[in-house]
Amino acid sequence: MHLMSSNCHYPFVSAFYALRLSEFHMDFHKHKGLEIMYVTKGSCTVFLEDSSVQLSQREFIFVDSQVSHRLFVTPDQPCSLLNLEFFCQEKENGQDLRELAANCPEFVDLCRSSKAYHTGTDTRNLGYALKDLISQMENKGEDDPYLRRLLFFRFLIELSKCIRTDGSSAGLSYLRRACTYISDHLTEDLRVPDIAVYAGVNKSYLQSLFRNRLDTTVTDYINKKRLEQAAFLLTNSSASITDIGFSCGYNSRQHFGHTFEKFYGCSPRAYRQLHRTSLSPSTGNAQHVIEEDGTVRKEILESGS
């Protein structure tokens, strides 16, 4: 990301706001500054050139400079946002990001990132840091350059650590909890909000974890696991196809058959015929007896004995 360079390492805040938006639409635009949008309440959607990101409370997006984007807020879901834009310049202003880079490895990682934008959940105190910085800049009558410098550094530290956490062990822990819940409740009506509550995150963050870590959606992951369970039962049980479908969370044989064929390329019946291994429990009319010396002999068992 274009946070700083060898020549430009003095940050300059070019815009900021803390607003409650009941409805907002803007055209695609891009600008020199990097921009963070942080949701304190409600939800919104940020559209980028080839994707979109839905943000809910305590979620944020950090967009690199010259990346085309637009914000969309609908009347049915008002949104309260903290917003800050900044870029680095050559002109010295008492805030040298090289000092921060020398003391915060997470910030260095963020500077080296090649991503056009980062999204995440506030797992620390990013919201408070951003709010305090905006409040300080808004009160120009009480301007304190040293305090503003400390608050800006604090904001970047919190941002960098949140982004690092979002892509590391904490995210994996939430993902594992969600997958465990899905596995334990495959036969039930699984809803993304319920899975998110169990995992301990909001549903938007859970969806982003599945996209980023597993390259799938929560719904597609659930469907895949149900179909894998169905394939196992078709191969290893004598249950009817209808019963297998119901036991794997499908409410009709038709729905099960259509979904199964779309995923495996054949019907449940054809899959069973192709993959099922028949294991006969019969040894005829003989009992196999193993002697102490390892030899095996057969004893004919009479019917009814």
Side-chain angles (χ1 to χ4, degrees):
M1 302 192 82
H2 298 90
L3 276 164
M4 58 179 283
S5 66
S6 58
N7 295 326
C8 299
H9 41 82
Y10 299 105
F12 175 80
V13 175
S14 54
F16 64 88
Y17 65 74
L19 295 175
R20 182 181 185 276
L21 302 171
S22 57
E23 183 176 6
F24 189 79
H25 310 273
M26 68 163 57
D27 294 330
F28 274 102
H29 67 287
K30 53 186 176 182
H31 41 67
K32 182 179 180 179
L34 297 93
E35 180 177 2
I36 182 170
M37 286 175 268
Y38 181 105
V39 177
T40 59
K41 191 175 182 180
S43 64
C44 66
T45 303
V46 178
F47 292 92
L48 300 111
E49 289 181 342
D50 57 354
S51 60
S52 64
V53 177
Q54 185 175 357
L55 300 176
S56 299
Q57 186 173 355
R58 291 181 61 81
E59 293 182 333
F60 65 89
I61 183 169
F62 184 52
V63 183
D64 201 359
S65 64
Q66 303 301 335
V67 173
S68 183
H69 62 283
R70 71 184 182 100
L71 173 65
F72 187 79
V73 179
T74 59
D76 57 320
Q77 289 188 317
C79 183
S80 296
L81 280 167
L82 299 175
N83 179 281
L84 184 78
E85 295 178 27
F86 69 94
F87 60 88
C88 283
Q89 57 184 3
E90 293 185 39
K91 183 180 178 181
E92 185 174 350
N93 61 5
Q95 301 182 69
D96 192 338
L97 291 186
R98 291 177 299 181
E99 178 185 351
L100 181 59
N103 292 280
C104 181
E106 293 86 355
F107 176 69
V108 175
D109 289 342
L110 183 57
C111 290
R112 292 173 176 170
S113 170
S114 60
K115 289 186 175 182
Y117 65 92
H118 286 272
T119 60
T121 298
D122 186 0
T123 55
R124 295 173 50 90
N125 296 296
L126 174 60
Y128 292 106
L130 187 54
K131 178 182 70 68
D132 290 345
L133 175 59
I134 291 175
S135 297
Q136 171 63 24
M137 291 187 299
E138 191 176 19
N139 296 327
K140 291 186 176 181
E142 301 176 5
D143 187 34
D144 184 336
Y146 181 69
L147 177 58
R148 189 171 65 250
R149 169 178 170 270
L150 293 178
L151 291 174
F152 190 82
F153 277 18
R154 176 195 176 200
F155 151 66
L156 286 179
I157 290 170
E158 292 289 349
L159 173 65
S160 302
K161 289 182 179 291
C162 275
I163 290 174
R164 165 75 73 85
T165 299
D166 190 69
S168 61
S169 59
L172 286 175
S173 176
Y174 298 137
L175 188 62
R176 280 194 293 267
R177 285 178 60 84
C179 291
T180 297
Y181 183 88
I182 291 170
S183 178
D184 292 343
H185 298 81
L186 267 181
T187 61
E188 303 172 20
D189 181 21
L190 285 166
R191 298 174 62 252
V192 175
D194 297 334
I195 300 170
V197 168
Y198 181 85
V201 295
N202 62 52
K203 63 180 182 180
S204 296
Y205 180 52
L206 183 67
Q207 292 281 20
S208 70
L209 281 176
F210 272 79
R211 285 195 304 269
N212 296 333
R213 296 284 185 172
L214 302 179
D215 195 27
T216 187
T217 66
V218 178
T219 301
D220 286 347
Y221 178 85
I222 293 170
N223 197 45
K224 178 175 180 290
K225 289 300 175 182
R226 283 175 170 167
L227 291 172
E228 288 175 351
Q229 175 68 6
F232 175 81
L233 293 174
L234 287 169
T235 304
N236 296 282
S237 80
S238 58
S240 70
I241 292 174
T242 300
D243 288 344
I244 289 174
F246 278 114
S247 71
C248 293
Y250 294 93
N251 56 16
S252 73
R253 176 168 177 153
Q254 291 76 15
H255 182 211
F256 170 54
H258 173 76
T259 308
F260 189 94
E261 186 166 354
K262 186 176 180 181
F263 187 82
Y264 282 104
C266 63
S267 68
R269 183 180 299 278
Y271 186 92
R272 168 173 270 176
Q273 292 172 346
L274 182 63
H275 295 280
R276 187 173 186 179
T277 301
S278 178
L279 176 63
S280 173
S282 174
T283 57
N285 63 345
Q287 172 181 242
H288 295 252
V289 178
I290 303 175
E291 304 289 357
E292 291 185 7
D293 61 2
T295 60
V296 180
R297 61 182 174 83
K298 290 183 179 181
E299 288 185 354
I300 303 301
L301 298 178
E302 298 295 334
S303 178
S305 64

